[in-house]
Amino acid sequence: MSFSHPASSPNVTMADVARIAGVSTITVSRALRAPQTVAPATRERIEQAIQQTGYVFDSVAGSLKSRRTNLVLVLIPSIMHSYLAHMIQGISDVISPRGLHLVLGTTEETPEGEERTIRAFLPLRPCAILMHNTVHTARTREELLRYGVPLIETGDLIAEPLGHVVSYSNHEAARAMTAHLAATGRKRIAFIYRGPGNERTWIRRSGYRQALADAGLTFAPELEVAAEPGFAGAATALRYLMGLAQPADAGFFVGDDLAAGAMIECQRQGWSVPGRIAVAAYDDSELAAHVDPGITSLRIPRYELGRQAGELLLESLESGAPLSDSRSIDLGFTLNVRQST
Amino acid sequence: MSFSHPASSPNVTMADVARIAGVSTITVSRALRAPQTVAPATRERIEQAIQQTGYVFDSVAGSLKSRRTNLVLVLIPSIMHSYLAHMIQGISDVISPRGLHLVLGTTEETPEGEERTIRAFLPLRPCAILMHNTVHTARTREELLRYGVPLIETGDLIAEPLGHVVSYSNHEAARAMTAHLAATGRKRIAFIYRGPGNERTWIRRSGYRQALADAGLTFAPELEVAAEPGFAGAATALRYLMGLAQPADAGFFVGDDLAAGAMIECQRQGWSVPGRIAVAAYDDSELAAHVDPGITSLRIPRYELGRQAGELLLESLESGAPLSDSRSIDLGFTLNVRQST
DNA sequence: ATGAAAGCGCTAACAT
DNA sequence: ATGTTAGCGCTTTCAT
């Protein structure tokens, strides 16, 4: 597509500012980037020239020569996943004060979508890349490693990351919750996830299965249910589970709002919680804490995940350490037991 | 800050590709941007050279020469406001296929924050700017107009926009809901907003007050309450309203999740809804529709707001029309009446 | 503390 | 359909 709209019309350049201030362009450049290296009096004249002309620095030109942008690419499955908002805010809070900007891309939940998105974004020359995903195509892995900027993966603690990892263990979190349900005497614990599920879903499911095995409970395939998104999906899944020959006595709802939908359905049907069925949620929310009965949930430190990822990114940029010596940070999770279990 | 990390190491340039393909750089450039203007055989050789070298286009250099970036600046109050996610997704869905990238900035809810953010982002030379805000400092207005790219404001239909407007009327929406409450016989209608409130809050309040006047109800200052954020804030506000000498008989909850918090408190206190008090929400949500009783809410077309803003932005970029001939699009709202009123 | 020269990797403008 | 020339606005490098 060709845009006839100029980014900015007859423009004031650094050269103009320099001329007015009676210095060379490089001095203006230094006054902007490292003020302390320019004499106060000179700086003053430059400031005035900038005010007078309304000069706006052009980082496109700056980046071309310096071979360094201030763009951080953040790749997420979808913007609509509200649970990512906290993480993104965490990233933003850390990088913005350092002059870095956040460019948002979505992967549509698939490695292929991620590959397309990355290919579309690399021409921007981001100075770092953060991905809420740990499963990539071979080409993506290769292209990212070749590109050579700091890489951070979030989403799960993985064995062979591309670069840094900041996360918690999905497997352990799901296992801990399932173990809690088993410890409170539940025998028919269902695992309800938002279909069609992604890599993290399967990891969580493996934690669930492991906890069942640990507790000596028999694994029942009919208790693993892919729910349609939304409250209605949760309700449908729950009705199915309660209608089984051997009904579920606990539901572990893995995904945005699934547990809330289930609670509403229990109320509607008159199924007492936790009397008839225990309800547990993967992700904590204000709702989970405030409804009556409160919903037992896993608290994932989403904001902190973003903050730490941002910090790590800044450190990496400053140290210039090679991708190969990467760090893996485990931020853990908390099991908030409430009245629903 | 100085980063020693190169955005990309010893790089393949267009000149390298051109040499290998046996053409000039401009031909490679054309093959990438307008393939149909290059002979198929030539194109083929260029493709191969790109594959072979792993060449990645550098849009920093491209933008410098063409004076045109593909960055769209999207300014929002805060990333944590989940109701904006739909709008941002709408924008993204429209602009991504056209090769534009979304850069996210936050204004911290104040015109001064917005001014700082814009100043920090203008050096990126975004090709368009979208703001979920209609109140700007004088300097911001001046800087944006001078900068000269297409501008879109969302958040409210305003009389004197900087550029285009895509929104609905906050005043009319609040008025319609309040009128509905009055029409169903409520006399003591409370207006509960998330404190400290922003420009949109006051506009909505003016709609509320207008509807009261229209219905011949006396305005009661004690019925306008700034709630603390979160469910607890809504509960506190509600208890206050019910404890008044003349208690409220309807609550219009204006802000994220306030209504849900109120419903929970009603349940806890045993206040029947809508018998003892009617509950209405400014913003529709899945929760509002599914809880029992369902919550009467205003549906704001958030995704569509983003989509249309994106479309308008693309049109503006293509037409190159001056900022002055801007459009104002009213997407309206819907009043979803449910059992809570 | 400041400057001169060179050039980053592309694309506009004008050929042919 | 393809090429030549020039230069976008900065920063690097090397001087002074």
Side-chain angles (χ1 to χ4, degrees):
Chain A
M1 97 187 288
S2 95
F3 294 139
S4 58
H5 222 116
S8 158
S9 321
N11 229 348
V12 182
T13 70
M14 210 177 247
D16 299 323
V17 173
R19 198 176 318 110
I20 292 170
V23 293
S24 66
T25 56
I26 185 63
T27 304
V28 177
S29 176
R30 284 197 265 249
L32 291 172
R33 292 178 301 148
Q36 71 288 359
T37 67
V38 173
T42 313
R43 219 154 64 200
E44 182 59 32
R45 270 181 294 136
I46 291 172
E47 288 290 353
Q48 280 179 356
I50 289 174
Q51 292 298 321
Q52 180 186 324
T53 55
Y55 169 69
V56 175
F57 177 75
D58 188 334
S59 66
V60 174
S63 292
L64 174 57
K65 180 61 191 180
S66 67
R67 319 256 337 99
R68 187 187 310 129
T69 67
N70 46 12
L71 298 176
V72 173
L73 173 56
V74 175
L75 288 170
I76 57 177
S78 157
I79 298 167
M80 303 253 211
H81 286 181
S82 60
Y83 65 82
L84 290 173
H86 296 252
M87 197 183 82
I88 297 173
Q89 185 77 54
I91 300 166
S92 176
D93 287 351
V94 170
I95 69 173
S96 293
R98 307 297 289 269
L100 297 178
H101 300 297
L102 198 149
V103 186
L104 213 54
T106 59
T107 63
E108 293 139 46
E109 305 260 17
T110 67
E112 292 70 31
E114 182 184 71
E115 181 173 320
R116 276 194 301 277
T117 305
I118 289 177
R119 194 157 309 139
F121 280 79
L122 283 194
L124 288 183
R125 305 290 161 156
C127 66
I129 300 177
L130 206 147
M131 294 164 281
H132 184 73
N133 174 34
T134 53
V135 187
H136 320 284
T137 68
R139 271 202 76 158
T140 298
R141 298 181 72 92
E142 183 209 313
E143 285 177 5
L144 286 177
L145 292 175
R146 159 138 63 154
Y147 184 57
V149 299
L151 254 30
I152 301 191
E153 288 166 280
T154 62
D156 197 41
L157 291 175
I158 45 172
E160 295 188 10
L162 285 165
H164 301 293
V165 181
V166 180
S167 187
Y168 67 95
S169 167
N170 286 260
H171 180 91
E172 290 307 324
R175 186 177 168 186
M177 180 60 91
T178 311
H180 159 73
L181 292 168
T184 53
R186 306 290 165 171
K187 304 290 179 211
R188 297 276 293 167
I189 304 170
F191 181 87
I192 304 95
Y193 59 96
R194 186 187 153 147
N198 58 32
E199 191 57 26
R200 270 150 275 142
T201 310
W202 315 139
I203 296 168
R204 292 167 190 176
R205 193 178 57 182
S206 76
Y208 156 79
R209 290 179 180 176
Q210 164 117 43
L212 289 186
D214 292 346
L217 293 174
T218 25
F219 167 72
E222 74 273 19
L223 294 179
E224 289 182 354
V225 184
E228 300 282 311
F231 284 17
T236 306
L238 189 62
R239 283 196 303 270
Y240 155 77
L241 287 164
M242 297 302 278
L244 289 172
Q246 299 180 59
D249 60 6
F252 180 13
F253 291 86
V254 179
D256 252 303
D257 292 333
L258 245 39
M263 292 294 283
I264 291 170
E265 184 64 15
C266 285
Q267 203 155 27
R268 182 165 292 155
Q269 302 278 354
W271 295 330
S272 92
V273 176
R276 180 138 172 208
I277 184 165
V279 171
Y282 192 87
D283 207 347
D284 207 14
S285 66
E286 221 200 331
L287 194 71
H290 279 84
V291 288
D292 190 29
I295 306 174
T296 294
S297 316
L298 289 164
R299 202 190 73 84
I300 310 301
R302 304 214 173 276
Y303 180 81
E304 196 56 23
L305 245 20
R307 258 186 41 81
Q308 296 253 6
E311 304 268 11
L312 195 47
L313 194 153
L314 290 173
E315 267 177 52
S316 273
L317 285 170
E318 272 162 4
S319 73
L323 265 178
S324 52
D325 72 32
S326 61
R327 229 182 304 162
S328 188
I329 299 181
D330 182 356
L331 258 46
F333 57 86
T334 315
L335 181 54
N336 287 332
V337 178
R338 300 201 180 89
Q339 301 86 346
S340 71
T341 60
Chain B
M1 99 187 286
S2 97
F3 294 138
S4 59
H5 221 117
S8 160
S9 318
N11 227 349
V12 182
T13 70
M14 210 177 245
D16 299 323
V17 173
R19 196 177 319 109
I20 292 169
V23 293
S24 66
T25 57
I26 188 67
T27 304
V28 177
S29 177
R30 284 197 265 251
L32 291 172
R33 291 178 301 150
Q36 71 287 1
T37 67
V38 172
T42 314
R43 220 155 63 201
E44 182 59 33
R45 271 179 295 134
I46 291 171
E47 289 290 352
Q48 281 178 356
I50 288 174
Q51 292 297 322
Q52 180 186 323
T53 55
Y55 169 69
V56 175
F57 176 74
D58 188 335
S59 65
V60 174
S63 291
L64 176 57
K65 179 62 191 179
S66 67
R67 318 251 344 93
R68 187 187 310 128
T69 67
N70 46 14
L71 298 176
V72 173
L73 173 56
V74 175
L75 288 171
I76 57 177
S78 157
I79 298 167
M80 302 253 210
H81 286 181
S82 60
Y83 65 81
L84 290 173
H86 294 251
M87 196 183 81
I88 297 173
Q89 186 77 55
I91 301 166
S92 175
D93 287 350
V94 170
I95 70 172
S96 293
R98 307 297 288 271
L100 297 179
H101 299 297
L102 198 149
V103 186
L104 213 54
T106 59
T107 63
E108 293 139 48
E109 304 260 18
T110 67
E112 292 69 32
E114 182 185 71
E115 181 174 321
R116 278 193 299 277
T117 305
I118 289 177
R119 193 158 309 140
F121 279 79
L122 283 194
L124 289 183
R125 304 290 159 156
C127 66
I129 301 178
L130 206 147
M131 293 164 281
H132 184 71
N133 174 32
T134 53
V135 187
H136 320 286
T137 68
R139 272 202 74 158
T140 298
R141 298 181 71 93
E142 182 210 312
E143 285 177 5
L144 287 177
L145 291 175
R146 160 139 64 154
Y147 184 58
V149 299
L151 254 29
I152 302 191
E153 288 166 277
T154 63
D156 196 41
L157 291 174
I158 43 171
E160 295 188 11
L162 285 165
H164 301 292
V165 181
V166 180
S167 186
Y168 67 96
S169 167
N170 287 260
H171 180 91
E172 290 308 324
R175 186 178 168 185
M177 179 61 90
T178 310
H180 159 73
L181 291 168
T184 53
R186 305 289 165 172
K187 305 290 179 208
R188 298 277 294 166
I189 304 170
F191 181 86
I192 304 95
Y193 59 96
R194 185 185 154 150
N198 59 32
E199 191 57 25
R200 270 149 275 142
T201 310
W202 313 138
I203 296 167
R204 292 166 190 176
R205 192 179 57 182
S206 76
Y208 156 78
R209 289 179 180 177
Q210 163 118 45
L212 289 187
D214 291 347
L217 293 174
T218 26
F219 166 71
E222 73 273 19
L223 294 179
E224 290 183 353
V225 184
E228 299 282 310
F231 284 16
T236 304
L238 189 61
R239 282 196 304 272
Y240 155 76
L241 287 164
M242 298 301 276
L244 289 173
Q246 298 180 57
D249 60 6
F252 180 13
F253 292 85
V254 178
D256 252 304
D257 292 334
L258 244 36
M263 292 295 282
I264 291 170
E265 184 64 14
C266 285
Q267 203 154 29
R268 183 164 291 155
Q269 302 278 354
W271 295 328
S272 94
V273 176
R276 180 138 170 208
I277 184 165
V279 172
Y282 192 88
D283 207 347
D284 207 14
S285 67
E286 222 201 330
L287 193 72
H290 279 84
V291 288
D292 192 30
I295 307 174
T296 294
S297 315
L298 289 164
R299 202 190 73 84
I300 310 300
R302 305 214 170 277
Y303 179 81
E304 196 58 22
L305 245 21
R307 258 186 43 80
Q308 296 252 5
E311 304 268 13
L312 196 47
L313 193 153
L314 290 173
E315 266 177 52
S316 272
L317 285 170
E318 272 162 3
S319 73
L323 264 178
S324 52
D325 73 33
S326 61
R327 230 181 304 161
S328 187
I329 299 181
D330 182 356
L331 259 46
F333 57 86
T334 315
L335 180 54
N336 286 332
V337 178
R338 301 202 180 88
Q339 302 85 344
S340 71
T341 60

